[in-house]
Amino acid sequence: MAVARHFAQLPSYAEYRKLFWYDWGPVFYRGRLNRTGRLLGIASDPGPTERIAGRTLVGDAGQRVQGFLSKVGLTSSYTLVNAYAFALLPSHAQDAIPLLSEPDQLQWRNKLLELITGPKLQAIVAFGVQAKTAVRLWENRPDVPVFEVPHPSSRSPKVLLDSWRAAVTELRGIVTPDPDGDPGVPNYGPKFLETDYASIPARDLPFGVPPWLGDDAWGRSDRPKHNNSVERPSTDLRNTLIWRAPKHA
């Protein structure tokens, strides 16, 4: 498969390893890779839950994005990737931006985007600054509407909700919903609610993962609250992950 071969040709991040959780390796995508996606979503980088799943946007941020897709009426016809294939250390976010323009990385990323998008594409959504930059650097970008919205982990909830609400409203008039989708569900209100999340479909995850992976509603209602089942302990941020299962599982 051409996409798999392209994944294997990812340019080295070794020169920039201090900016990333480098030792955990890359995480590439979630969703459809066969050029059938009607919406392409680009975020910034995979996190700890994504590393466990081997798929991007499956943790708390990913479940917010899944809710966003659900409000547009999409249940399967989407493709999700990131500006970086490695998890970025938040404190080095600004330091990593030049990497997006580095010729080998730029060429690899743009070819990937071309391999996974096709004539059915109707819209592109860039979640966050890193993704916006990556989209703007895509020279042969398809002639479809591009929406630049805050990252799902934005610390400015009102800005996020106002932007996502407006984007959903416009996208409902652009993107054809899936047969089992419902673009008539409520749009975002003044606060982000549990009903604004959606669990990650099993089809988007590797076979054999626990059935609760990709649905952290149990953690968000737990005490103390935790929004992800996987976390990086402060005692060893770069090389240790802690994975927690719900007690009822």
Side-chain angles (χ1 to χ4, degrees):
M1 182 179 180
V3 177
R5 289 194 296 269
H6 190 66
F7 284 155
Q9 295 167 359
L10 175 71
S12 175
Y13 274 60
E15 181 181 349
Y16 309 93
R17 63 185 302 154
K18 69 178 183 179
L19 307 179
F20 298 90
W21 274 282
Y22 178 79
D23 294 337
W24 289 98
V27 175
F28 292 108
Y29 79 100
R30 178 164 72 82
R32 317 287 78 77
L33 294 178
N34 58 0
R35 308 183 77 228
T36 62
R38 292 196 284 274
L39 184 147
L40 172 66
I42 303 176
S44 56
D45 61 291
T49 308
E50 284 72 18
R51 178 61 279 164
I52 292 292
R55 298 289 185 272
T56 199
L57 288 168
V58 299
D60 185 76
Q63 292 160 46
R64 286 188 170 199
V65 168
Q66 196 66 34
F68 178 96
L69 296 170
S70 295
K71 291 179 188 297
V72 177
L74 295 178
T75 60
S76 62
S77 299
Y78 51 79
T79 307
L80 305 174
V81 293
N82 283 314
Y84 305 109
F86 282 72
L88 177 65
L89 291 162
S91 60
H92 291 297
Q94 291 302 313
D95 300 329
I97 286 181
L99 176 59
L100 295 174
S101 301
E102 197 277 329
D104 288 347
Q105 299 286 346
L106 177 61
Q107 182 180 13
W108 182 90
R109 185 179 65 251
N110 286 351
K111 182 177 179 181
L112 171 64
L113 296 175
E114 291 164 10
L115 284 171
I116 62 178
T117 54
K120 293 186 177 182
L121 187 70
Q122 296 173 322
I124 299 169
V125 181
F127 295 96
V129 174
Q130 314 286 339
K132 294 175 189 177
T133 303
V135 171
R136 292 173 184 177
L137 289 168
W138 187 3
E139 294 181 357
N140 297 320
R141 187 176 69 222
D143 186 19
V144 299
V146 176
F147 295 80
E148 297 182 347
V149 300
H151 191 273
S153 298
S154 170
R155 296 183 181 181
S156 302
K158 184 179 186 304
V159 174
L160 183 149
L161 286 167
D162 288 348
S163 179
W164 281 28
R165 185 186 309 113
V168 166
T169 299
E170 287 195 58
L171 284 164
R172 284 172 170 173
I174 296 171
V175 176
T176 305
D178 284 317
D180 57 345
D182 181 9
V185 299
N187 204 336
Y188 297 99
K191 294 184 178 180
F192 206 98
L193 305 175
E194 181 60 36
T195 52
D196 293 321
Y197 285 90
S199 59
I200 308 305
R203 68 170 71 90
D204 284 5
L205 298 168
F207 178 77
V209 300
W212 45 264
L213 184 63
D215 183 359
D216 289 297
W218 64 276
R220 293 187 289 268
S221 64
D222 201 4
R223 294 294 180 271
K225 178 181 178 179
H226 49 93
N227 284 33
N228 289 287
S229 62
V230 189
E231 61 184 15
R232 299 181 175 100
S234 58
T235 53
D236 185 14
L237 278 174
R238 286 186 178 270
N239 294 96
T240 297
L241 295 179
I242 297 176
W243 192 13
R244 182 183 311 170
K247 296 178 181 178
H248 58 75

